[in-house]
Amino acid sequence: MAVAGSANAADLKLKAPPLAEAPIAYNWSGFYLGGNVGVIWSNTSADPGSFTTTGVDFTGRQAVGQFPSFNTGNTGFTGGVQTGYNWQFAPNWVAGIEADLDYAGLNKTDTRVFAATHFIGDGPIEANTESAQQRLSWLGTVRGRLGFTVLDNRLLAFATGGFAYGKVDDSIQTIGVPNGAAGVLVRASSDTVRTGWTAGGGVEYAFPNNWSAKLEYLYYDLGSRILNLNYGTVPGDAGNTLNYKFHDNGNLVRVGLNHRF
């Protein structure tokens, strides 16, 4: 009995409890598809630039504050879809490429009304109503991404940057009665797809079943556009022109949901 008891005691000492299985680290490699919603805003302007003039009247209107800088910045809703591919390596780094296309609800018109005034030495300067408008209908990007993972690879912090493009409508107009010509409208506009660059960053967390949610910030810059107001159709203003420079850039913050295949 003593020998059997010793043997049983030895068996108890040898039978250690099984080790708990280590959690399986998430792997970000693969294609994904998803959607996003957020807020987009700009702090843009339309600024007067160079001009040519053949008469005092045009110079006078500029001297009394007509042809000002216009505030075309605005805030709106954005939402759309994105797709991309990730490659995880080394073992906590993730590189990838992502493309997205979003609606952009930016549409701002800044209007200034100028009463008739008197320019010393040249008589009255007629009233004018002037306005500038900028609209961003949609915005797309194609970006590289590089990030680092923590929390068993489930939380990804990333930087991103690349190519941006969007549908931009810039316009500038003057409605008034310069030189007594009632109802005159002088207008210039550009409605095109503009290209530029974007950069930003964010975080993304992976849930079970290959779903992930992200929070992302992007700055975009679609360059600038110069529009020329030609007053040649206005009596007494032949040869008078004025350039306006529109800046097309802004920011967006969005949340998104992705499914990896």
Side-chain angles (χ1 to χ4, degrees), residues 109-121:
T109 300
D110 186 13
T111 300
R112 311 290 178 86
V113 178
F114 298 94
T117 186
H118 189 85
F119 183 57
I120 297 175

Side-chain angles (χ1 to χ4, degrees), residues 28-87:
W28 290 85
S29 295
F31 289 96
Y32 60 89
L33 176 67
N36 67 81
V37 294
V39 177
I40 184 171
W41 71 96
S42 63
N43 188 25
T44 55
S45 62
D47 302 314
S50 61
F51 68 94
T52 61
T53 182
T54 58
V56 178
D57 180 75
F58 189 82
T59 308
R61 293 203 299 277
Q62 191 172 51
V64 298
Q66 296 184 18
F67 316 126
S69 291
F70 293 95
N71 175 16
T72 56
N74 197 14
T75 301
F77 164 83
T78 183
V81 295
Q82 70 270 347
T83 187
Y85 180 83
N86 288 321
W87 173 54

Side-chain angles (χ1 to χ4, degrees), residues 106-236:
L106 293 181
N107 187 2
K108 173 69 177 293
T109 300
D110 186 13
T111 300
R112 311 290 178 86
V113 178
F114 298 94
T117 186
H118 189 85
F119 183 57
I120 297 175
D122 192 53
I125 303 300
E126 294 87 348
N128 282 280
T129 298
E130 303 169 16
S131 64
Q133 181 185 42
Q134 185 173 77
R135 178 189 307 156
L136 178 63
S137 302
W138 52 263
L139 178 70
T141 73
V142 179
R143 296 169 284 107
R145 300 205 314 171
L146 180 63
F148 188 82
T149 65
V150 295
L151 300 179
D152 296 325
N153 286 348
R154 289 195 175 271
L155 181 63
L156 171 66
F158 62 88
T160 183
F163 175 72
Y165 61 103
K167 182 68 158 47
V168 181
D169 180 8
D170 298 324
S171 64
I172 181 80
Q173 64 182 6
T174 298
I175 305 172
V177 288
N179 297 304
V184 169
L185 170 62
V186 179
R187 188 175 191 272
S189 64
S190 171
D191 187 3
T192 60
V193 175
R194 305 283 302 281
T195 61
W197 60 274
T198 181
V203 292
E204 188 168 358
Y205 186 81
F207 300 101
N209 301 321
N210 292 328
W211 287 96
S212 64
K214 71 173 182 176
L215 173 65
E216 182 177 56
Y217 163 80
L218 289 178
Y219 172 83
Y220 67 89
D221 191 332
L222 301 179
S224 59
R225 175 59 54 92
I226 295 178
L227 299 181
N228 181 265
L229 285 171
N230 187 343
Y231 283 76
T233 60
V234 180

Side-chain angles (χ1 to χ4, degrees), residues 3-19:
V3 172
S6 298
N8 289 335
D11 289 342
L12 291 174
K13 292 179 181 178
L14 293 175
K15 292 180 180 178
L19 296 175

